[in-house]
Amino acid sequence: MSEITDFDSLRRAMAENGEQPEGPARNARAEQLLLEAERLRIPLAVIEALGHQLKVYNYSSEKAKMFVPFARLLRMWDERPEDFDAYETHSLHWVFKWMSAGMLDQPHVPLASVEKWLGEMEHRYRLAGHSERAVRSAEFSVAAHVGDVARAERAFTAWLAADRDTMADCHACELHGQGWWQAERGRDAEALELWAPVLEGEYTCAHEPHSVLASSLLPLLRLGRPDEARAHHLRGFRLVRSMESMRSAYADHVEFCALTGNEARGLELLAERPAYFTDEGQPRSRLEFLSVVALLMGRLGELGLGGERVPGAAGREWTADELAAHARAEALALAARFDERNGTEHVSERARARMARRPLVERLPLGVRASRPAVTAPSPALTLAAPARAEAAGEIAEADLPALLEEARRLSETLRPHAVEAWARVARAAAEIEGVELAARDLAEIADHEAIGLGPGGADAFERAAGLYEEAGDPGEALAARARAAYVRALDGEVDEALAAVSEPYDRVLALYAEGGTEVPQAAGVLMARARILMRRVHEAEGPVPASAATQAESSVRELLALVDGRAGDDVRLAARVAEGHAMLAELATRSGEAETGAELFARAAAEFVEAGVPWFAVEYEARLAGLAHELGDMAEAERALRAALEHGGPFLEAIGRAQLHLQLAEVVGGRGEAEEAAEHALESAHWADEAGAGPTYGAWARHQLGGYLVRQGRWAEAAEVLESALADLSAETHGDGAVVQTQWWLGDCLSELGEHRDAAERRLQAAEIARHWPEQHDHATLAHLAAESLGHAGLHTEADRAYARAGELWRDLGNVHGLIRSLRARAWLALRTEQDPGVARALMTSAVEECADAFGGAGDDEEARLRLISELGDTHRQFGDLLARSAAEDADDDAIRATLDEALSQMSEAVAVFVTLGGSGLLARTGAELAAGWLECDLGRPAQAAARARAVLRSCADAAAEGFEGDGQRGGGTIRARRAEAEQLLQAAEEPRDR
């Protein structure tokens, strides 16, 4: 911390403090700096220190402290206005607005005092010659706060009608306030229209678009634009996360989570800011925050999670129910204080309405890591849909046993989902109804479906079902049940035993069928079980499938198809047997290396399941087909199959299966350049992986992919949130170190684009450290170079130089002269910026030129490589010239400056000569270097030479236009126009001395 010895050191200290994070530490330093300013005994120093104190208080949770320094400043102005310079005079009047808002936020300040202050502000603005725009804006805030809609509308109209002047809030803040009022009045579309210039980056400030992004969340949801709301949440929360003064905006993001099924993320947000529960410097933002906490805790209570521990105010542990009651009581107590001050019920009404808000969507996937709380009670918001769902599921009163039997049999005969559950309901109903005794056939089907529900553990239940089928007089179905018992043993790994067990039912059912003692469905049941058992041998084979196993399996499948094919008619179960048989043949073809045949058969099987009316059975085979199509390079078929699988799976598809299909589809769609749709599928994949409890494994990979697709779209803030979330679970052991490096790399790119250079450097260095151990070192070199760039932008120049030097060594080892040259040039510029001996920068740039020249010998007859080296050499000469020109010290004597500029001109001329050899492809680079040389000629007092260079550029531009040159698309054409304009300016500058 630097010592304050004079006014300049005080100003430097205040500037340094202004760059620190918002919070008590920065405020305390501002208070200390005021004491230091008073010791200087310079009135303007005290004025500036008071202004600095006001600013840091305003951008913190201690806004209530603003009033004392402002009162002192105002007294100093009234006593000696001549002590204020123009900037501090402007600042004093500017801060009047902060005082108005600050008083309104403090319920202990009487409303009469607020109104009086508003009048004082109007009077002083009028004396200073300012527009009344800021005054009317402040009046609008007062009227809106107390609920005086008529006065608010009048002030709003007057605000917009008044002229903008230097006292008006910035465009971004004004548009935020105007849009907020439209949304408050139920005009969401109008609000978003007003906010558009802020959201698009046309207008920004210290708190925008932070606040607008937060305020836009619910309007977007109400307008049915959830994708935009998600993007605004991810982008906006990143902006407000570290800003202590933005508690209200932070609350908007927590509210968004509470109303979109993202309660778990809402809890994570609360955990990040425990001080928000108790900071009392701005009561109004605390009221808004506590209202949202009560809303979120209420949602958890409705979900049956009221007893779960949640983050809250420090000093004790909280359950959701306890925190809900506490936050509600605190919020309403604060609201009552405001209402007592205001003489209305408006603040309390708004707080109650906010705490009572209902979800706007059941669940909006965000793509970030946050598992959904386990729901133990139905959400009241969804109970209205329950009767419709029950009816759709065919639910029937337990007492209506005949109807239950009919429904269960319908579901099982048509292979509908929930048949197992339907037969279980039959069993329960029969047990509960006194005097009811089911027929043996009914009991057999109950046992049969009980066995299906047990999976590999259902052998005994199948045997019991077989006995009951025998008792019911259906020997064929009894044999089929015994065959199914054998198959589930195979599922448990007992393949040989299962094959032995199925042999008797197989022989007996064929004999029985030949005698007419059973029908096709029963015989097909036994043949299918035997085929499935033989297919288990195929599935369990390590490496190539033994020929005997494949032959036996294929023979059994074809026997099944010979029995059933053409005889299915309207029997869904038989049609499904045919489809499954073709799927088995597809599997056998694939395992034997006949991928195309396998793909055709999987497609046939899937189509047969769909035609039979059981499309959910097609999903597995459509997914297999997609994989084969991908291997065969038929991406269109792979995409079609994946889309069909998602469509056909419908509500019956398990969460993990849905996650896998969406991620596969994302990769296919992303592979053909559709990053936006690919991101949608990766988002869905991450969501369903979380639902399946696979967030740390499959979900992390989906988030990794989602982040990459967002990067490709330039959605940097959203991508950063997703990638940071992915990194929390990604590991080299589970996902591979390549995925970890790529995620860090993408994240570094995002942070660099967002201006977070120190963090970008950290991510790139972490990735480089992993890549350092890879056999191929290109990624390591690239990451080291990128890390150096970030370190330089972050002001860590020594570290940046080391990283560039390391990258240069790696580029040299790789034989990549272009990377080596660029690292040398970067180090040269870094040396110049850090005010080292100019000789260091000069030496590094000289080395870059020499490396480039040396590389020509290795290019041989590779014309493309030679052209790239020529371009690199020209760029290096051009940069060398720029560097020399900028190194000319202002305090040096004229001869020294002239000598340096002459040397710079020599390098520029070399660059022009090099670019000339590139012909038309070097036009843009050549004309740029020619103009730079022309300006140097002007600086050296050589107007004729400067004019000649300008005319040369104009001729080149004219020739290019005549030949229809467009350069690099629109950019190239735009650059030519810019070159022409600059050449005309240079020509004018060169000819001016002749006119005088």
Side-chain angles (χ1 to χ4, degrees):
M1 194 174 291
S2 57
E3 183 182 357
I4 308 303
T5 57
D6 54 26
F7 200 172
D8 286 341
S9 60
L10 174 69
R11 282 174 165 165
R12 285 195 298 273
M14 289 190 294
E16 290 171 4
N17 193 47
E19 295 299 317
Q20 298 305 305
E22 295 176 355
R26 187 170 75 156
N27 295 354
R29 176 61 174 158
E31 292 162 3
Q32 182 183 357
L33 290 174
L34 176 59
L35 297 176
E36 297 284 355
E38 290 169 339
R39 294 191 186 101
L40 296 176
R41 299 187 179 280
I42 301 172
L44 185 57
V46 175
I47 290 167
E48 290 189 14
L50 285 166
H52 175 64
Q53 198 176 78
L54 275 169
K55 183 175 182 179
V56 300
Y57 284 156
N58 184 61
Y59 293 109
S60 78
S61 63
E62 298 181 304
K63 290 177 184 280
K65 291 185 174 183
M66 290 193 301
F67 302 114
V68 172
F70 183 74
R72 184 177 173 186
L73 265 178
L74 197 57
R75 186 172 65 253
M76 292 175 72
W77 168 262
D78 288 338
E79 292 173 355
R80 290 181 57 84
E82 63 272 19
D83 288 341
F84 288 70
D85 62 14
Y87 179 81
E88 292 304 327
T89 299
H90 176 274
S91 296
L92 176 70
H93 286 82
W94 181 269
V95 174
F96 264 92
K97 299 180 296 182
W98 293 358
M99 293 303 105
S100 298
M103 289 181 175
L104 205 59
D105 290 345
Q106 304 292 331
H108 69 274
V109 178
L111 191 61
S113 297
V114 177
E115 295 283 6
K116 181 180 177 181
W117 184 258
L118 192 60
E120 178 76 7
M121 177 181 174
E122 183 172 9
H123 171 68
R124 288 182 180 263
Y125 272 38
R126 189 181 300 115
L127 288 177
H130 296 306
S131 164
E132 66 171 13
R133 188 178 183 92
V135 178
R136 298 285 77 83
S137 174
E139 181 188 4
F140 161 76
S141 297
V142 173
H145 171 66
V146 302
D148 188 341
V149 175
R151 184 187 179 192
E153 291 283 14
R154 289 194 303 272
F156 186 84
T157 302
W159 168 20
L160 270 60
D163 292 336
R164 279 189 58 83
D165 67 352
T166 57
M167 281 299 114
D169 281 341
C170 75
H171 280 289
C173 287
E174 282 208 331
L175 289 173
H176 176 229
Q178 293 162 17
W180 173 85
W181 183 242
Q182 298 294 348
E184 186 75 6
R185 302 301 296 155
R187 300 185 284 264
D188 290 333
E190 290 85 344
L192 287 161
E193 186 176 350
L194 281 165
W195 288 331
V198 183
L199 294 170
E200 293 164 6
E202 183 178 346
Y203 301 123
T204 61
C205 70
H207 279 184
E208 296 299 349
H210 316 42
S211 296
V212 165
L213 286 164
S215 296
S216 70
L217 296 172
L218 297 197
L220 284 168
L221 290 173
R222 290 193 292 259
L223 289 171
R225 294 157 64 178
D227 291 343
E228 292 173 72
R230 176 198 301 113
H232 286 199
H233 169 65
L234 294 176
R235 177 183 163 202
F237 180 69
R238 185 170 195 84
L239 292 173
V240 304
R241 171 181 265 148
S242 62
M243 299 183 70
E244 184 193 53
S245 63
M246 301 208 69
R247 180 162 53 181
S248 293
Y250 200 99
D252 290 339
H253 287 281
V254 176
E255 179 179 43
F256 168 81
C257 293
L259 300 180
T260 57
N262 288 287
E263 297 86 1
R265 179 166 170 82
L267 293 176
E268 291 179 2
L269 269 55
L270 294 186
E272 288 190 29
R273 281 290 185 178
Y276 275 172
F277 288 92
T278 52
D279 284 345
E280 297 182 349
Q282 191 188 26
R284 184 149 62 149
S285 73
R286 182 166 182 257
L287 164 61
E288 291 167 352
F289 180 76
L290 290 171
S291 297
V292 165
V293 171
L295 168 67
L296 175 60
M297 296 305 120
R299 284 290 304 140
L300 292 174
E302 291 171 1
L303 294 170
L305 301 168
E308 295 294 314
R309 288 186 178 179
V310 295
R316 59 162 288 185
E317 292 183 346
W318 299 88
T319 65
D321 286 343
E322 290 168 346
L323 187 56
H326 170 77
R328 182 177 182 84
E330 289 282 304
L332 291 177
L334 267 175
R337 289 175 58 199
F338 278 107
D339 285 340
E340 183 180 4
R341 187 269 302 272
N342 299 338
T344 69
E345 295 291 325
H346 182 66
V347 176
S348 293
E349 290 169 358
R350 291 187 79 251
R352 288 191 180 92
R354 191 169 199 180
M355 290 187 280
R357 280 179 176 156
R358 306 306 308 150
L360 294 169
V361 294
E362 182 177 357
R363 181 83 191 278
L364 178 62
L366 301 178
V368 291
R369 175 177 175 259
S371 58
R372 191 173 194 181
V375 178
T376 58
S379 169
L382 306 177
T383 52
L384 292 177
R389 290 202 309 273
E391 183 179 350
E395 290 191 9
I396 301 163
E398 293 281 338
D400 193 351
L401 184 57
L404 288 172
L405 272 167
E406 181 181 352
E407 177 66 5
R409 192 158 282 123
R410 181 187 70 81
L411 292 175
S412 58
E413 288 177 354
T414 56
L415 298 181
R416 260 39 188 180
H418 309 308
V420 170
E421 292 89 336
W423 281 104
R425 290 191 68 199
V426 170
R428 287 197 305 272
E432 292 171 1
I433 299 174
E434 189 176 347
V436 169
E437 185 175 340
L438 292 173
R441 177 74 190 200
D442 299 334
L443 293 172
E445 293 195 62
I446 289 172
D448 212 349
H449 286 84
E450 178 190 344
I452 294 171
L454 291 172
D460 291 343
F462 276 128
E463 292 289 357
R464 181 158 37 89
L468 289 166
Y469 281 125
E470 289 276 12
E471 187 180 332
D474 191 342
E477 199 61 59
L479 292 169
R482 289 198 171 92
R484 288 192 284 275
Y487 171 59
V488 297
R489 290 192 177 94
L491 290 178
D492 211 21
E494 301 174 8
V495 178
D496 291 338
E497 294 84 349
L499 195 57
V502 82
S503 61
E504 182 189 355
Y506 169 73
D507 292 336
R508 286 182 58 194
V509 83
L510 290 180
L512 194 62
Y513 177 69
E515 297 166 359
T518 192
E519 297 180 353
V520 171
Q522 289 74 26
V526 177
L527 267 58
M528 176 55 78
R530 182 171 180 269
R532 286 172 175 170
I533 293 168
L534 288 166
M535 286 298 296
R536 293 298 299 175
R537 278 186 169 173
V538 173
H539 292 147
E540 293 178 1
E542 295 183 5
V545 180
S548 60
T551 301
Q552 283 185 310
E554 183 177 353
S555 176
S556 69
V557 173
R558 294 197 181 281
E559 183 181 20
L560 167 70
L561 291 173
L563 172 69
V564 179
D565 214 358
R567 296 185 176 88
D570 295 331
D571 191 322
V572 174
R573 289 180 293 185
L574 286 178
R577 302 283 193 221
V578 173
E580 187 177 350
H582 288 134
M584 289 175 174
L585 292 178
E587 175 72 21
L588 290 166
T590 303
R591 296 293 292 264
S592 64
E594 301 173 22
E596 291 184 2
T597 301
E600 291 172 4
L601 286 166
F602 276 131
R604 178 176 179 179
E608 287 169 340
F609 276 123
V610 173
E611 187 178 349
V614 286
W616 45 88
F617 287 122
V619 173
E620 176 184 350
Y621 308 113
E622 284 162 336
R624 293 292 308 278
L625 170 59
L628 283 175
H630 199 291
E631 290 177 19
L632 294 167
D634 189 349
M635 304 312 293
E637 176 63 4
E639 182 177 342
R640 185 209 63 76
L642 290 167
R643 292 188 188 280
L646 282 167
E647 177 189 351
H648 294 147
F652 310 116
L653 192 58
E654 290 186 1
I656 192 62
R658 193 178 296 275
Q660 292 167 344
L661 290 171
H662 273 296
L663 189 56
Q664 287 177 270
L665 189 53
E667 292 170 350
V668 171
V669 172
R672 59 177 171 82
E674 298 292 336
E676 186 172 352
E677 185 184 352
E680 293 173 4
H681 288 294
L683 174 69
E684 287 293 324
S685 178
H687 163 67
W688 289 109
D690 289 343
E691 291 288 302
T697 51
Y698 205 84
W701 180 257
R703 276 183 268 280
H704 157 79
Q705 296 283 59
L706 171 59
Y709 295 128
L710 292 172
V711 166
R712 283 166 60 177
Q713 297 174 67
R715 293 160 65 178
W716 309 111
E718 297 169 63
E721 283 292 302
V722 170
L723 292 168
E724 286 175 345
S725 180
L727 279 171
D729 290 317
L730 279 175
S731 69
E733 295 75 19
T734 303
H735 305 93
D737 55 6
V740 177
V741 167
Q742 183 63 80
T743 303
Q744 296 275 28
W745 193 328
W746 280 332
L747 182 53
D749 291 347
C750 293
L751 296 171
S752 179
E753 292 288 341
L754 295 169
E756 301 173 31
H757 298 297
R758 187 182 291 264
D759 290 339
E762 181 180 351
R763 295 299 185 180
R764 287 167 166 173
L765 288 169
Q766 289 171 351
E769 178 59 25
I770 299 173
R772 182 170 69 87
H773 304 285
W774 292 353
E776 210 291 315
Q777 288 288 284
H778 185 273
D779 285 343
H780 182 200
T782 304
L783 286 161
H785 200 115
L786 290 171
E789 287 182 8
S790 295
L791 289 165
H793 287 308
L796 301 171
H797 299 129
T798 301
E799 294 85 346
D801 185 69
R802 282 201 299 266
Y804 276 126
R806 177 59 180 148
E809 293 170 3
L810 291 165
W811 291 130
R812 187 185 297 280
D813 292 343
L814 288 165
N816 188 322
V817 68
H818 299 280
L820 173 59
I821 291 165
R822 289 168 188 176
S823 67
L824 288 167
R825 292 197 311 233
R827 291 183 68 197
W829 282 110
L830 196 61
L832 185 67
R833 284 202 304 271
T834 53
E835 301 179 355
Q836 294 182 22
D837 179 354
V840 174
R842 185 190 299 259
L844 286 164
M845 200 65 83
T846 300
S847 295
V849 172
E850 292 170 350
E851 291 288 351
C852 204
D854 291 345
F856 278 103
D861 297 329
D862 188 337
E863 186 61 19
E864 183 180 348
R866 288 183 63 80
L867 289 174
R868 285 188 66 206
L869 283 170
I870 290 170
S871 180
E872 200 75 77
L873 178 60
D875 286 339
T876 305
H877 279 303
R878 167 68 194 269
Q879 289 196 37
F880 203 166
D882 283 336
L883 181 138
L884 290 168
R886 296 185 191 186
S887 70
E890 294 180 1
D891 57 354
D893 60 64
D894 290 346
D895 289 342
I897 292 174
R898 188 175 187 84
T900 302
L901 293 181
D902 262 326
E903 192 176 356
L905 178 60
S906 174
Q907 290 292 337
M908 286 296 180
S909 298
E910 287 284 350
V912 172
V914 171
F915 288 135
V916 163
T917 65
L918 292 173
S921 64
L923 174 65
L924 297 179
R926 173 169 56 82
T927 52
E930 190 86 73
L931 288 168
W935 289 113
L936 284 170
E937 302 273 23
C938 275
D939 292 339
L940 287 164
R942 301 169 185 168
Q945 291 90 329
R949 290 186 183 276
R951 292 190 184 98
V953 172
L954 288 171
R955 283 195 300 274
S956 295
C957 291
D959 293 343
E963 295 172 8
F965 176 80
E966 295 183 354
D968 183 11
Q970 292 182 346
R971 186 186 68 79
T975 304
I976 285 293
R977 289 190 292 273
R979 292 279 192 272
R980 185 186 299 115
E982 187 180 352
E984 290 169 351
Q985 292 172 355
L986 175 59
L987 186 59
Q988 182 180 0
E991 292 179 341
E992 278 178 354
R994 300 180 184 180
D995 297 337
R996 289 200 292 268

